[in-house]
Amino acid sequence: MAFFKKRSKSSSFSSGELQKTLHKNLEFTAREQYKLLRANLGFTLPEGQKCQIIGVTSSMRGEGKSTTSVNLSYVLAEDGKKVLLIDGDLRIPSIAKKMEMSSTPGLTDLLMGYDPGQFEAFRSKILDKWYILPAGELPPNPSELLGSRRMKVLLEALSEVFDYIVIDLPPVNIVSDALAVSSFISGMVVVVREDYTEKKELERCFRQLKLSNVNVLGCVMNEAKSGKGSYGKYKKYRYYKYYRYYSTYESESKKSKKSK
Ligand SMILES: Nc1ncnc2c1ncn2[C@@H]1O[C@H](COP(=O)(O)OP(=O)(O)OP(=O)(O)O)[C@@H](O)[C@H]1O
Ligand SMILES: [Mg+2]
């Protein structure tokens, strides 16, 4: 999803820059791509759920998970839905910094005791229906915490309040946190960064997701170049060329049917 001007791998945005980018300076094409992602998710998310819980992960660090989580949750809230963005990266959280807010209290505090009354504190100043929950105090055991009964109960309680919950998660090939929480979510979006993500890492990521029976909703191609043929090394995975969003799940299940 080529929503910023092309930058080098090592470049980084200042937090204020990203916040500005969201509601003011997001390029027209980028905005449209996110709206298309929102529409496509409508087709791939399981039907009949009161609240859709979407995990966002990738194979490695730095592929654009947090950026995608922020922008995806933003366009969902812009559409009038009540949306909660959770920083589920309890190792190297970045949402609070990106959104220029305090990193505590956050998810880990709510895991110790959830009071719906305290939730208004997490409403963003940008959109009325957009709530942002930072990571909170970093725990010694992120994976256990994300896969815990406490997490399940918290998400169930939050599902009563929100239409969508977007959880920014760490990368699958590095730690097991995204897999740990996967049984509590509706589906997972996998971020791939063009000219950055290694094919073998992506394959490993999908093997892990498949082994854990994760419902993969599709991929977001971050920092994609426009034009034909820019997806060369990922051709194996089917994509909606114009949407920069593609379903791997479908092609993987067809392949496994064939091999039976
Ligand atoms: N499309 C893009 N164009 C240019 N820069 C980008 C783009 N997407 C993300 N970035 C920048 O790349 C860096 C990494 O992005 P981000 O924090 O979203 O990745 P991440 O996958 O969440 O990283 P981590 O694995 O460390 O959590 C950030 O500095 C971000 O501003
Ligand atoms: Mg991140």
Side-chain angles (χ1 to χ4, degrees):
M1 190 165 291
F3 53 89
F4 300 114
K5 286 193 184 96
K6 187 91 175 118
R7 294 161 68 112
S8 68
K9 268 184 207 178
S10 56
S11 66
S12 66
F13 291 101
S14 76
S15 51
E17 212 178 328
L18 181 63
Q19 196 177 337
K20 256 192 288 163
T21 303
L22 272 170
H23 61 298
K24 288 197 186 135
N25 296 344
L26 198 64
E27 276 179 17
F28 172 77
T29 44
R31 235 172 214 279
E32 290 310 302
Q33 295 303 324
Y34 272 110
K35 287 182 188 169
L36 285 165
L37 171 63
R38 179 180 69 199
N40 281 315
L41 282 175
F43 295 117
T44 49
L45 280 163
E47 280 175 33
Q49 291 196 0
K50 194 165 180 289
C51 169
Q52 300 284 6
I53 307 179
I54 303 167
V56 179
T57 191
S58 73
S59 58
M60 303 297 290
R61 285 257 165 231
E63 289 169 294
K65 298 175 287 297
S66 305
T67 306
T68 302
S69 303
V70 170
N71 286 314
L72 172 61
S73 57
Y74 174 78
V75 288
L76 287 166
E78 203 184 30
D79 198 33
K81 303 289 188 297
K82 194 166 179 182
V83 184
L84 173 65
L85 167 64
I86 300 180
D87 194 341
D89 191 334
L90 301 180
R91 295 171 194 265
I92 312 179
S94 66
I95 298 292
K97 192 167 172 218
K98 283 191 198 308
M99 301 309 302
E100 297 178 319
M101 60 193 286
S102 165
S103 59
T104 54
L107 174 62
T108 50
D109 302 274
L110 291 200
L111 283 169
M112 295 309 139
Y114 170 63
D115 169 9
Q118 80 195 91
F119 224 85
E120 280 313 298
F122 298 110
R123 188 200 290 265
S124 81
K125 292 187 183 73
I126 300 168
L127 284 178
D128 252 13
K129 293 193 168 183
W130 193 27
Y131 291 70
I132 299 166
L133 182 63
E137 288 295 332
L138 300 191
N141 53 348
S143 186
E144 286 73 16
L145 209 55
L146 288 167
S148 68
R149 205 185 126 64
R150 277 174 188 268
M151 183 70 183
K152 184 170 185 275
V153 170
L154 176 65
L155 287 176
E156 280 167 2
L158 294 171
S159 296
E160 297 295 321
V161 181
F162 291 97
D163 299 313
Y164 286 91
I165 297 173
V166 175
I167 314 180
D168 177 27
L169 292 162
V172 168
N173 293 1
I174 298 188
V175 285
S176 61
D177 305 13
L179 302 177
V181 79
S182 65
S183 58
F184 310 147
I185 65 174
S186 317
M188 194 79 87
V189 165
V190 179
V191 177
V192 178
R193 190 164 182 175
E194 194 170 359
D195 290 339
Y196 184 99
T197 306
E198 295 293 328
K199 187 181 166 199
K200 65 174 188 338
E201 297 295 349
L202 187 61
E203 284 174 341
R204 203 173 129 213
C205 168
F206 274 101
R207 264 200 311 278
Q208 297 286 349
L209 292 167
K210 205 173 164 191
L211 278 173
S212 303
N213 277 325
V214 179
N215 180 21
V216 178
L217 300 167
C219 293
V220 167
M221 185 70 87
N222 184 28
E223 218 180 343
K225 296 183 198 95
S226 50
K228 274 186 179 176
S230 56
Y231 298 94
K233 61 182 176 171
Y234 308 112
K235 265 188 191 141
K236 186 170 171 256
Y237 302 102
R238 212 155 62 81
Y239 54 85
Y240 296 99
K241 194 162 71 185
Y242 301 109
Y243 299 160
R244 315 284 189 258
Y245 174 78
Y246 56 98
S247 162
T248 48
Y249 186 63
E250 218 180 299
S251 52
E252 287 288 319
S253 40
K254 271 189 193 153
K255 218 173 21 175
S256 62
K257 269 184 204 154
K258 262 189 199 165
S259 60
K260 275 179 192 165

